[in-house]
């Protein structure tokens, strides 16, 4: 026992304790050393043989005491004393050895705060090892506690922090004790990774559902957050696969349930890749600012659509998104020109005022509203159809003109024509509203004054979206991806 090393102890943990005890006692004090030598003379007398037999019988009884002390690994008591000095020496040696074995038993039994009474050198070592085991137990409890607690992840950063935490706990377990179980540490790492993946999956599912349910264009930042979560989820799935490969290489036996769960999650990577690609298409930064981007974008969407041939639910989602895209890509209405014509000459719309009488001879009134730039309302088109009152006059630069002197510019006429064609989509009750045929009709309406249509500004932001260019690109995209614009099969 004095020569027992830590490495030998680790080997010892795997063999039957009683067998080891017997080996230690026999190693230190072989009992047969006290047996009498056999008679040298084979022709000894009966008396000599009888004396030898009596001595052997007595020695056998005394030796049994030593055997009992050895096999019971107990301290010798007065009853174990023997008149034979050889047996007494054996009993004494076995008793001393039993104290060492008792210490070993206490150590292996993981007694809390054990007291060791054997060999001084071994006592010190056992004490150190017991503290080492206590540290291992504390670290193991910290890991299992983390694994058992619920984990809520509301951002990618949360997942990283959670994995850093459990990795530190497992590293403490692995490095602070020489008795750490490498296989257990590997199992814990995989469990911790799975737990983080579960949290990320819940977050990714929620973000994905929210993002795809929102109409295009997506809310600012919504697509980016969902994509970032999916990217991190795929990163963790790849790390899980690497850990499984390491466990296989190191021949670590994992819990079957953990192995099955890890394998199942690793197989989800393709689905998350498809989601990421789809969201990237919907959240494309210049999706609604690039007037020429409709056709190439629709081709990418069509490729994604074909990948989902075994997932009709996603294909239906893509069809809906294509309709939303067309609705948002083609402005719903264009504003009238900033100028109007008075007697054929352009003047600023904002400088023109209208006055009229509610009844003849009742006095002129000047409405507070300006000449509207919307295609419907208080504007030159409306006055031509239905004058606001009697004796209507147009005033500009301190001059008065007859209502018939007021006329729209060609750009305003182009805006009205486009708005009328575009309004048909909003009024349509058929599905889908955007089809190859309906988009072609819109293009035809724009082509009459294509250059002017491309100069029209939007009602809300006043930007110039190049409407005719957008419509032409949408037509090309529909022609190349007709399946996206056809009615779904019932």
């Amino acid at each position: 026992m004095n020569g027992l090393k830590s490495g030998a102890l680790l080997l010892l943990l795997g063999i039957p304790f009683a067998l080891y005890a017997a080996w230690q006692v026999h190693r230190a004090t072989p009992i047969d050393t006290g047996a009498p030598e056999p008679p040298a003379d084979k022709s000894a007398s009966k008396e000599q043989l009888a004396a030898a037999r009596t001595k052997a019988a007595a020695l056998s009884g005394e030796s049994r005491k030593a055997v009992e002390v050895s096999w019971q690994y107990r301290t010798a008591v007065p009853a174990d004393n023997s008149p034979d000095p050889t047996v007494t020496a054996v009993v004494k040696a076995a008793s001393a050895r039993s104290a060492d074995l008792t210490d070993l038993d206490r150590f292996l039994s993981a007694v809390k705060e054990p007291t060791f009474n054997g060999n001084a050198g071994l006592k010190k070592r056992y004490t150190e090892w017991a503290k080492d085991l206590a540290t291992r137990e504390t670290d193991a409890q910290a890991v299992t506690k983390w694994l058992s607690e619920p984990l809520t992840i509301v951002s990618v950063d949360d997942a990283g922090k959670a994995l850093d935490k459990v990795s530190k706990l497992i590293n403490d377990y692995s490095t602070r004790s020489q008795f750490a179980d490498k296989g257990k540490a590997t199992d814990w790492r995989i469990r911790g990774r799975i737990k983080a993946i579960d949290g990320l999956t819940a977050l990714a599912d929620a973000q994905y559902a929210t993002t795809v349910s929102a109409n295009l264009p997506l809310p600012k930042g919504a697509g980016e957050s969902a994509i970032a979560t999916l990217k991190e989820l795929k990163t963790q799935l790849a790390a899980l696969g690497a850990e499984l490969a390491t466990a296989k290489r190191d021949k670590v036996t994992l819990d079957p349930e953990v192995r099955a769960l890890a394998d199942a999650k690793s197989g989800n990577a393709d689905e998350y890749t498809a989601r990421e690609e789809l969201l990237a298409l919907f959240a494309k930064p210049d999706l609604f600012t690039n007037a020429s981007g409709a056709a190439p974008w629709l081709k990418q969407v069509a490729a994604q659509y074909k990948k989902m041939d075994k997932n009709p639910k996603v294909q239906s989602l893509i069809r809906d998104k294509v309709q939303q895209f067309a609705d948002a890509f083609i402005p719903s209405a264009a504003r009238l020109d900033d100028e109007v014509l008075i007697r054929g000459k352009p003047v600023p719309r904002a400088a023109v005022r209208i006055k009229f009488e509610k009844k003849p001879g009742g006095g002129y009134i000047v409405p507070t509203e300006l000449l509207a730039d919307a295609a419907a309302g208080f504007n030159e088109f409306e006055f031509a159809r239905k004058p606001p009152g009697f004796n209507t006059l147009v005033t500009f630069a301190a001059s008065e003109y007859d209502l018939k002197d007021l006329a729209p510019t060609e750009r305003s006429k182009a805006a009205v024509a486009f708005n009328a064609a575009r309004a048909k989509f909003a009024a349509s009750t058929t599905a889908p509203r955007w089809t190859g045929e309906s988009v072609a009709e819109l293009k035809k309406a724009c082509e009459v004054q294509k250059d002017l249509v491309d100069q029209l500004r939007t009602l809300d932001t006043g930007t110039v979206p190049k409407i005719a260019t957008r419509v032409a690109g949408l037509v090309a995209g529909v022609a190349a991806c007709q399946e996206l614009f056809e009615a779904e099969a019932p």
Side-chain angles (χ1 to χ4, degrees), residues 310-322:
K310 295 182 180 179
N311 195 332
K313 186 175 180 180
V314 175
Q315 286 192 326
S316 179
L317 167 69
I318 292 175
R319 286 175 177 271
D320 289 342
K321 289 300 177 205
V322 165

Side-chain angles (χ1 to χ4, degrees), residues 35-379:
E37 293 294 330
D41 186 359
K42 295 184 180 179
S43 61
S45 65
K46 290 182 179 181
E47 291 75 11
Q48 288 176 320
L49 292 174
R53 185 180 300 107
T54 299
K55 184 177 181 180
L59 180 60
S60 175
E62 296 303 316
S63 297
R64 189 174 297 109
K65 297 175 181 179
V67 172
E68 289 175 353
V69 170
S70 299
W71 278 93
Q72 295 174 21
Y73 47 100
R74 60 177 173 79
T75 303
V77 298
D80 295 318
N81 292 337
S82 172
D84 189 302
T86 303
V87 173
T88 298
V90 172
V91 170
K92 183 178 180 180
S95 179
R97 185 64 63 184
S98 73
D100 292 340
L101 294 173
T102 299
D103 284 352
L104 178 60
D105 187 37
R106 286 187 182 130
F107 171 73
L108 294 177
S109 299
V111 175
K112 190 174 182 180
E113 298 181 0
T115 299
F116 301 113
N117 302 308
N119 178 277
L122 285 177
K123 177 180 178 180
K124 179 181 178 181
R125 182 164 296 177
Y126 282 143
T127 301
E128 292 173 352
W129 287 343
K131 290 180 180 179
D132 193 316
L133 284 178
T135 298
R136 182 189 72 170
E137 182 62 21
T138 299
D139 291 341
Q141 289 176 355
V143 176
T144 54
K145 181 176 182 295
W146 187 94
L147 291 173
S148 65
E149 292 175 340
L151 177 64
T152 301
I153 293 179
V154 297
S155 69
V156 170
D157 287 343
D158 286 345
K161 291 176 181 177
L163 286 169
D164 288 344
K165 175 65 174 178
V166 72
S167 293
K168 183 182 183 304
L169 294 176
I170 297 173
N171 288 339
D172 286 346
Y173 169 84
S174 300
T175 59
R176 299 207 303 170
S177 172
Q178 62 182 314
F179 300 111
D181 185 336
K182 181 179 180 181
K184 183 177 290 186
T186 299
D187 182 88
W188 283 339
R189 290 188 192 281
I190 292 175
R191 288 176 185 268
R193 186 81 63 184
I194 290 175
K195 190 172 182 179
I197 287 173
D198 286 341
L200 278 171
T201 300
L203 176 62
D205 288 345
Q207 289 179 330
Y208 179 77
T210 299
T211 303
V212 299
S213 64
N215 287 342
L216 296 181
L218 295 178
K220 186 177 181 179
E224 290 80 355
S225 297
I227 290 172
T229 302
L230 287 169
K231 285 182 180 294
E232 179 63 18
L233 181 53
K234 292 198 302 175
T235 297
Q236 296 305 326
L237 288 172
L240 176 61
E243 287 173 345
L244 290 173
T246 299
K248 182 178 181 180
R249 182 196 64 202
D250 294 343
K251 298 181 179 179
V252 175
T253 301
L254 298 176
D255 182 284
E257 182 178 351
V258 174
R259 166 68 73 175
L261 189 59
D263 288 341
K265 292 189 179 301
S266 297
N268 292 332
D270 289 344
E271 177 184 349
Y272 298 130
T273 297
R275 287 188 182 185
E276 180 188 346
E277 292 174 349
L278 195 60
L279 289 180
L281 286 174
F282 297 157
K284 197 171 184 291
D286 64 344
L287 183 57
F288 295 98
T289 58
N290 181 7
S292 302
W297 183 80
L298 286 170
K299 289 179 181 179
Q300 290 178 302
V301 174
Q304 197 67 21
Y305 182 86
K306 291 177 180 177
K307 289 182 181 180
M308 298 295 148
D309 58 346
K310 295 182 180 179
N311 195 332
K313 186 175 180 180
V314 175
Q315 286 192 326
S316 179
L317 167 69
I318 292 175
R319 286 175 177 271
D320 289 342
K321 289 300 177 205
V322 165
Q323 293 293 307
Q324 293 171 16
F325 165 75
D327 271 330
F329 189 70
I330 306 300
S332 59
R335 69 169 63 180
L336 302 181
D337 194 356
D338 287 341
E339 296 179 325
V340 295
L341 299 178
I342 294 182
R343 292 181 178 176
K345 293 183 178 181
V347 299
R349 176 182 296 275
V352 176
R353 294 292 183 273
I354 301 294
K355 68 179 185 178
F356 58 89
E357 294 178 320
K358 284 190 175 182
K359 62 180 181 178
Y364 283 94
I365 64 170
V366 179
T368 56
E369 64 262 39
L370 302 178
L371 198 62
D373 60 4
F378 195 76
N379 61 39

